[in-house]
Structure formats: C-alpha cells, structure tokens
Amino acid sequence: MLMGMADISTIRVPSGYEREFPGASRSAAEIAANLVRAGTEFLTEIDRPTRKAAGLSARGFQTLAILDGAGGPLPGYSIAEQMLISSASMTSLLDTLQRRALIERHPHPTDRRKVLIHLTDDGQRIVDQQLPAIHAVITQALIAIPEEDREPFLATLTAVRIGLAALTETPPPQHKARRTARRADL
Amino acid sequence: MLMGMADISTIRVPSGYEREFPGASRSAAEIAANLVRAGTEFLTEIDRPTRKAAGLSARGFQTLAILDGAGGPLPGYSIAEQMLISSASMTSLLDTLQRRALIERHPHPTDRRKVLIHLTDDGQRIVDQQLPAIHAVITQALIAIPEEDREPFLATLTAVRIGLAALTETPPPQHKARRTARRADL
DNA sequence: TATTGTTATACTCTATAACTATA
DNA sequence: TATAGTTATAGAGTATAACAATA
C-alpha cells in the first residue's frame, strides 16, 4: 500500500548537522534535499499521463519524443547518445517499442551498418496526444510561481548544474569523518 | 560509448512553443526542464561515491540511510512507506541487502507479524563512510550559490512541490490539442 | 477483517562481453 | 581499425496477484 501525500513543507536539516559532518553546509544540504525531491516528484507527475494512457515507460516515451523532436528518422546510436545509454540497452528499448509497433527499423540508404529508426503513425499519435497533456501538467503545477520569480529561479538552477558539472572534472572533495553522536540526533 | 559533458547552460524552449501547445507556458516549460535535469544530475553525483565504494544501488543505500536516521531497527512496512514502494518490492530489496550482510531480520518481540530490520556493523560502516562523502559533494556543488540566494530558492522549490501535490488531488488539467506545424520547428 | 510479509511471476532497464557486418 | 548494431547473459528494481500468519 502506498501512503497518501502528507502536507508539503520545506525539508529541513536538523541543527546538529554541521557538527556531525564537519565542513558540510546545512543550507546546501537543505537545497539538495528539496531540489532532488522536487525533481523526482515532477518526473513522476510528467510520467503519470504517459504511463496511464499508453502503458509506456518513461524511457520508451523519451525515445519517441526524441524522434519526434528530430523531425525525421534517426540512427540508433544517435538516440542512445542523447539518452546516455549503451548501444545494447538501446537495442533492447527499440525491441520493446517495435513489438508495440510504435517504431520501425529501416536500413540506412548509404551506410549499411546503420539502422534508421522511424516513428510509426501509432507512435506519432502517442506523442501528439501525450505532449499536450504533459505540458498542461507542467503549466498547472507552476501556476503559483510569480513571473518575476522565474528567471532568478532558473538562474540558480543553472548555477547548481554548473557546480555539479565542475565536480565531475575534479577529484572528489575532501571531507572529514562523521562525528557520530547519538544516532537519534540526526 | 557515453559522451562527455558539454558546456552547461540554461535549457531553453523554442519560441514557437506556446503556439504549438495552446495554453501552455513557455517559462513553466523551461523551469520544468531545468529543474528535472538539475535534480537528476544531483542524484547521479550523490550516487557516484556510493556505487563506487560499496557497489550499492541508490535504493539499497537509501534503505540503509533510513535505518541509520531512525536510530534503531524498523519494521519493513515503515521503510516501504517512506520509499513509496510496495511491500513485495521491499522484500526484494531487503533480500539483496541481507545477502550482502548489510541488514538482518529479527522477529518483533511482541507483534509476531512484524519483522524488525537491523543495520549490521558492515551496514553501519557503509553509512558512516558514505554519508560524509555525499555531504561533501553537496556542499561543494553549491559553493557558488550566495547565501542570500538560498532561502528564496528553497521557497520557490517548496512552492513547486506544493503545486505538484495539488495536481495529484485534482482531475488532470484540461488542454487543447497540439498544433502540429512542421516537426523540425520544435 | 485488517495488517505484515512472503512467494511467484513477469516486465523494463541496465551493464558487460562476444560477435557480425560494414566502413 | 573503428563504427553500428545484435545476441547472450545477468542482475536490480518494480508491479500485481495470491497467499499465510497474526492481530
């Protein structure tokens, strides 16, 4: 059984946090917790109409949306690159979509190593039906955010992404050991 | 092959968007795209040390962290509720963790329906080792966000989560059909 | 009757390795 | 040699349904 949605409030980190993790920032932890949670909840809501209507996984629909966005057939490896998965995983995904007749595989006219992935009419129909529902959910979810708050919010989101990307290119940050007081204090 | 990280910038939505999806808000779509992306990237970074050091899935580590945070053993259903998964999925997760000797199952002293999940010493050690690394990553990723921007950012994140929660309790928002111009315009 | 947990079954996503065909 | 794709194999996470034991 899944429980109902409790009242929503900002996720806070207890006051002992910076004592327990020397060098760590409490406000950073709060931002991380709330950002990850908000992102996950958003994904779930975006996913909901798709799964319900089409019985399609997020990855499956994403594949269709990439093909739709490209405006024409794409070779498999180029979809795989965009989705950050291996070619073998791509094959498996495409098998699933092809079984449901949402995509077709056609040989590339000049390079016989390649397979061009086409949206079928059914696949196109699913994208055309689901995208408006998804964008309606997005618009409605953010209806209470004032227009003047949106650009600053976007700017901070981008700053976070830049900070994350910088992490990948440097050695993992140093840290001191946890100061493990009583567990119940967390 | 997975590609490297391109330069990071705000994800923007093309200008034809509100024409293509009547009633939808372009700034909302940009916030959704950047928020979901930032959340996913954050999760990936938080995940990285855990997977590397302990070969543990995100869900597996999350289970250990919940037990650690509780300060003592918990019955399975209470962990499942926090993770929003079914009791059958919980059983499978716990099987995996028990196979690696990171948790133990003990009978509840008074309610014989319940099984109390205990962190083993190995499980506790993984949490104690990984949590500082995770919090160092979080602190470092956000180092460039000025302190005075943090509370407003948190406030907007919470407003988004409230908007999302409100969606769940109401019928799906109405929307008009996609105005399907040329595909390449997207 | 409701709660807690397990088993059985099935599907998706993912990864790695080995392989074919083509460039 | 490098690129594109498939097959084979394996493992994790998820869901549903049916079930047992207990409260």
Side-chain angles (χ1 to χ4, degrees):
Chain A
M1 202 259 302
L2 303 184
M3 14 134 298
M5 184 69 63
D7 284 338
I8 304 297
S9 60
T10 305
I11 303 167
R12 293 296 178 179
V13 165
S15 61
Y17 174 79
E18 295 187 356
R19 210 175 335 109
E20 183 175 3
F21 299 103
S25 153
R26 184 184 181 188
S27 62
E30 292 185 334
I31 286 179
N34 286 275
L35 174 53
V36 167
R37 182 70 74 94
T40 305
E41 289 169 354
F42 223 134
L43 259 189
T44 303
E45 281 308 313
I46 290 175
D47 235 34
R48 189 192 308 279
T50 304
R51 288 186 185 275
K52 209 162 187 175
L56 212 53
S57 72
R59 283 308 221 179
F61 183 76
Q62 191 184 353
T63 306
L64 301 185
I66 286 174
L67 284 168
D68 173 80
L74 291 175
Y77 73 93
S78 113
I79 307 177
E81 271 176 7
Q82 288 187 59
M83 297 178 64
L84 294 176
I85 59 176
S86 68
S87 60
S89 298
M90 193 73 239
T91 297
S92 155
L93 253 177
L94 293 175
D95 288 347
T96 302
L97 292 171
Q98 192 169 26
R99 214 180 317 127
R100 302 190 186 173
L102 304 179
I103 60 118
E104 283 171 358
R105 286 186 241 228
H106 295 289
H108 190 285
T110 64
D111 187 337
R112 299 205 302 179
R113 292 172 305 178
K114 297 184 183 172
V115 176
L116 283 177
I117 313 300
H118 292 248
L119 269 183
T120 63
D121 289 349
D122 278 357
Q124 185 67 58
R125 195 171 308 121
I126 287 183
V127 174
D128 285 339
Q129 283 170 353
Q130 297 309 309
L131 278 187
I134 288 172
H135 289 299
V137 162
I138 289 172
T139 297
Q140 182 60 34
L142 299 178
I143 200 96
I145 313 291
E147 203 58 49
E148 67 267 24
D149 289 354
R150 298 190 177 198
E151 273 304 323
F153 185 65
L154 270 182
T156 303
L157 279 177
T158 302
V160 170
R161 293 184 52 228
I162 289 172
L164 284 167
L167 271 183
T168 332
E169 290 151 15
T170 56
Q174 293 301 312
H175 57 269
K176 301 194 179 141
R178 181 186 198 182
R179 299 194 48 194
T180 162
R182 250 165 296 99
R183 231 97 240 172
D185 286 356
L186 314 196
Chain B
M1 202 261 300
L2 304 184
M3 10 135 301
M5 183 70 63
D7 283 337
I8 304 297
S9 60
T10 305
I11 303 166
R12 293 295 177 179
V13 164
S15 61
Y17 174 79
E18 297 188 354
R19 211 178 334 110
E20 184 175 4
F21 299 103
S25 154
R26 184 185 183 189
S27 62
E30 292 185 333
I31 286 179
N34 285 275
L35 174 53
V36 167
R37 183 70 73 94
T40 305
E41 289 169 354
F42 223 133
L43 259 190
T44 304
E45 282 308 313
I46 290 175
D47 236 33
R48 190 191 307 278
T50 304
R51 287 187 187 276
K52 210 164 188 174
L56 213 53
S57 73
R59 283 311 220 177
F61 183 76
Q62 190 184 355
T63 306
L64 301 186
I66 286 174
L67 284 168
D68 173 79
L74 290 175
Y77 75 91
S78 113
I79 308 178
E81 272 177 6
Q82 289 187 57
M83 298 179 64
L84 294 177
I85 60 177
S86 68
S87 59
S89 299
M90 193 72 240
T91 297
S92 155
L93 253 179
L94 293 175
D95 287 347
T96 303
L97 293 171
Q98 191 170 27
R99 215 180 314 125
R100 302 189 187 175
L102 304 180
I103 58 116
E104 284 170 357
R105 287 186 239 226
H106 295 289
H108 190 285
T110 64
D111 187 337
R112 300 204 302 180
R113 291 173 305 180
K114 297 185 183 172
V115 176
L116 282 177
I117 313 300
H118 292 248
L119 270 183
T120 64
D121 288 349
D122 279 357
Q124 184 67 59
R125 195 172 307 120
I126 287 184
V127 174
D128 285 339
Q129 283 170 354
Q130 297 309 309
L131 278 187
I134 287 172
H135 289 299
V137 162
I138 289 171
T139 298
Q140 182 61 35
L142 298 178
I143 200 94
I145 312 294
E147 203 59 48
E148 66 267 24
D149 289 355
R150 297 190 178 197
E151 274 304 322
F153 185 64
L154 270 183
T156 303
L157 279 177
T158 302
V160 171
R161 294 184 51 228
I162 290 172
L164 285 167
L167 271 183
T168 331
E169 291 151 14
T170 57
Q174 294 300 312
H175 58 269
K176 301 192 178 142
R178 180 185 196 180
R179 299 196 49 195
T180 163
R182 251 164 298 100
R183 232 95 242 177
D185 286 354
L186 314 199

